[in-house]
Each structure stands twice: as C-alpha cells, then as structure tokens.
C-alpha cells in the first residue's frame, strides 16, 4: 500500500513540473523569439520480486520474472526547435530567421547572448541594437542619411544614400549554430547561452 502511494506521488510530482513548464510556454506564446521547452520523463528503479530465469520447480524456470516499478521522474527539459509564424511589421529591421540559427547579441556583462528575436533598430550612433539596447554582433551601422535599408536573405545589409543609384553594403548579419540547440540554457529576455556559461547574463 505505502509503495503504491509513493509511486503515485512520484508521478504527481513529475506532472506538476510538466504543468509548470506548460504554463510558462503558454505565458510566452506571444513573446517574440520565444522557444518553448518540452519536459521529458524517465522511469525510476524497479524492485525484482522474482528474477527472470529463477527456478519455478526442479525442472522449470520462470520465463518473465516479476518486477514492480517505483514511479517516474522528470529527466530533462529541452528547447523545441520549431519554426515560428512570420508577421509583417512594416519595419525593415524587424528580422526573422528561416530555419536554424540565432542572432548574436553583445550583453552588458561582455558575453554573447543568442536569441531568435530579430526586433532591431538603430541607436543614436546608427548601430543595430535590440529593443533593450544591446548591440548586434558583428556590429552593423546604418548611416544617418540612409534613405532605405535592405537585408538580403544571406544577411547582407545594404543602404541607399542620397546621390547614389546603387545600394551600398554596410555590414552582414551572421547567425550562430549549435550542435545541440535543445540543450541550451534559457537566460530570460529570450536569450539563451551555451551550457558551460553562467545563466545570469546581466
């Protein structure tokens, strides 16, 4: 009886963590660049009441044995690498990555943060920065007299300036790829970082 209660409690604890994760995914369903996490489960140890192959009689053995499972636990949460929906904003510097990859952002502590949020705008010096003012890396600077800005599918940033008929390339947006993107650490503000770096990026 007590074993059954402990086994059931382990399942409830695991499902509570799963519900917490689902709630966070739902709360961020409208967050630009947010990537949901999925909780994975694994079973716990088993008690062997009768080992397979044990003697049943003097002439026979037990074929399957008797094992009692002791419940379940959460084993990991991984980032789900699915493509989000595209939306037209009218801002030529609102960018989206089609496929894999992350924008590289220089954070206040000097580390590089990675994000799928491509909401950029030029700061007072013309450098492309995020909504919270962190600069894109490598840096891209838009001239103050630029009449239009175009970002190519390869990340090339070009501007048209007064007196010019052809666009001028002013930089290139480079994305970062990871071998195991599902194992990255979430750091808040849609930033993620590799597992060996601290999660507190500010």
């Amino acid at each position: 009886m007590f074993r059954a209660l402990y086994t059931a409690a382990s399942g409830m604890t695991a499902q509570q963590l799963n519900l917490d994760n689902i709630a966070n995914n739902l709360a961020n369903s409208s967050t630009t660049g947010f990537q949901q996490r999925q909780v994975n489960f694994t079973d716990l140890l088993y008690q062997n009441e009768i080992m397979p192959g044990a003697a049943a009689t003097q002439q026979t053995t037990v074929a399957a044995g008797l094992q009692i499972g002791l419940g379940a636990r959460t084993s990991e949460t991984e980032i789900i690498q699915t493509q989000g929906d595209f939306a037209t904003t009218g801002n030529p510097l609102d960018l989206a990555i089609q496929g894999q990859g992350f924008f590289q952002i220089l954070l206040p502590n000097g580390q590089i943060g990675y994000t799928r949020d491509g909401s950029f705008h030029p700061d007072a010096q013309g450098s492309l920065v995020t909504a919270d003012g962190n600069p894109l890396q490598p840096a891209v600077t838009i001239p103050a007299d630029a009449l239009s800005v175009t970002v190519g599918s390869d990340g090339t940033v070009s501007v048209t300036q007064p007196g010019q008929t052809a666009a001028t390339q002013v930089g290139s947006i480079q994305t970062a790829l990871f071998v195991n993107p599902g194992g990255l650490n979430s750091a808040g503000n849609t930033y993620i970082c590799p597992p060996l770096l601290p999660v507190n990026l500010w």
Side-chain angles (χ1 to χ4, degrees):
M1 180 64 181
F2 288 110
R3 181 172 61 190
L5 292 176
Y6 285 126
T7 300
S10 73
M12 288 188 292
T13 301
Q15 287 301 325
Q16 180 61 59
L17 291 175
N18 188 35
L19 288 175
D20 292 342
N21 182 70
I22 292 173
N24 183 63
N25 289 337
L26 290 174
N28 285 282
S29 60
S30 298
T31 301
T32 303
F34 175 78
Q35 291 186 297
Q36 65 176 326
R37 283 185 170 271
Q38 173 181 289
V39 175
N40 295 325
F41 301 90
T42 186
D43 52 354
L44 296 178
L45 295 175
Y46 287 78
Q47 287 185 347
N48 292 307
E49 303 290 340
I50 302 175
M51 291 294 294
T57 65
Q58 291 183 348
Q59 289 80 28
T60 61
T61 58
V62 176
L66 175 61
Q67 288 185 305
I68 305 297
L70 299 180
R73 66 175 177 86
T74 52
S75 59
E76 61 184 4
T77 60
E78 62 175 332
I79 299 175
I80 304 303
Q81 301 294 315
T82 55
Q83 183 73 59
D85 296 328
F86 295 137
T88 301
T89 65
N91 177 9
L93 296 178
D94 281 346
L95 310 177
I97 299 174
Q98 187 170 12
Q100 296 184 342
F102 297 88
F103 296 109
Q104 304 175 80
I105 308 299
L106 180 62
L107 300 174
N109 67 354
Q111 291 183 5
I112 298 295
Y114 303 91
T115 181
R116 297 276 294 188
D117 185 355
S119 303
F120 297 108
H121 66 272
D123 63 7
Q125 290 73 41
S127 298
L128 291 188
V129 297
T130 62
D132 47 7
N134 295 322
L136 179 69
Q137 292 293 299
V140 176
T141 302
I142 306 298
D145 61 348
L147 300 176
S148 64
V149 181
T150 303
V151 181
S153 59
D154 61 350
T156 300
V157 182
S158 303
V159 300
T160 302
Q161 296 174 277
Q164 294 181 343
T165 57
T168 302
Q169 181 176 337
V170 295
S172 179
I173 297 175
Q174 300 177 17
T175 58
L177 295 173
F178 294 93
V179 176
N180 179 26
L184 297 170
N185 285 329
S186 298
N189 284 4
T190 73
Y191 291 114
I192 55 97
C193 63
L196 296 181
L197 291 180
V199 175
N200 183 10
L201 301 178
W202 287 270

